[in-house]
Amino acid sequence: MDIISQTRELGKMIQQDERYKVYVAARDKNDNDPELQQLISEFNIMRSDLNNEMIKDDKDTEKLKELDENIKNLYNRIMASDLMIAFNEAKSAMDSLLSEINTIITMCANGEDPDTCSASQACTGSCETCGGCH
């Protein structure tokens, strides 16, 4: 089996992982929730209105301030929704899994032992806890 075929097998394994399943379910719930989608649509329209107002030569500072405040309030409502909280938690778990996979692959490509390297060995950027660069 060549490396690309093995990568495809890894992709299948990722899609069987519980973190992936939770992420997809949370994403689908968000995508199919009419109330949340309406809020997101309103947010995008307001953001567009703000951008349009900002490029005008004769900017209305009161309108800019009002649009900015409304956008912030709407954003906070969206992010505080139970569906969005669940989605962000699931996305964070999925991002962590992908980061760990990427770190291990990168370490192997840099000569580390594939059987023993782990994301916890990766460089954190802080030399305080490091045994030295390779």
Side-chain angles (χ1 to χ4, degrees):
M1 185 179 290
D2 70 6
I3 196 165
I4 299 302
S5 296
Q6 289 180 335
T7 303
R8 293 183 192 286
E9 289 303 313
L10 175 60
K12 291 175 188 176
M13 292 173 65
I14 289 169
Q15 290 178 348
Q16 295 304 311
D17 189 273
E18 189 62 27
R19 290 164 284 198
Y20 174 82
K21 292 175 183 178
V22 170
Y23 166 73
V24 169
R27 182 190 65 199
D28 290 347
K29 282 183 182 178
N30 279 0
D31 290 348
N32 294 310
D33 185 80
E35 184 179 333
L36 182 59
Q37 290 306 307
Q38 178 63 35
L39 291 174
I40 292 171
S41 178
E42 289 174 27
F43 175 83
N44 289 331
I45 290 169
M46 281 187 204
R47 194 172 60 182
S48 177
D49 290 346
L50 178 64
N51 287 336
N52 289 336
E53 187 64 34
M54 289 178 70
I55 62 173
K56 288 182 179 178
D57 289 335
D58 58 336
K59 295 174 183 66
D60 182 340
T61 55
E62 282 304 311
K63 186 173 182 179
L64 283 171
K65 185 177 176 182
E66 180 182 338
L67 282 168
D68 186 55
E69 186 67 28
N70 289 342
I71 288 171
K72 287 177 183 174
N73 289 336
L74 189 53
Y75 178 81
N76 289 335
R77 280 182 57 202
I78 291 168
M79 298 311 287
S81 75
D82 291 340
L83 289 175
M84 192 57 79
I85 290 169
F87 171 77
N88 284 328
E89 289 173 358
K91 184 178 181 322
S92 178
M94 191 66 207
D95 288 346
S96 291
L97 172 64
L98 294 175
S99 177
E100 184 174 2
I101 290 168
N102 186 51
T103 298
I104 292 170
I105 290 171
T106 301
M107 291 177 77
C108 291
N110 287 326
E112 297 291 328
D113 182 351
D115 291 326
T116 61
C117 68
S118 72
S120 64
Q121 294 172 300
C123 179
T124 63
S126 171
C127 295
E128 291 179 17
T129 59
C130 185
C133 294
H134 300 279

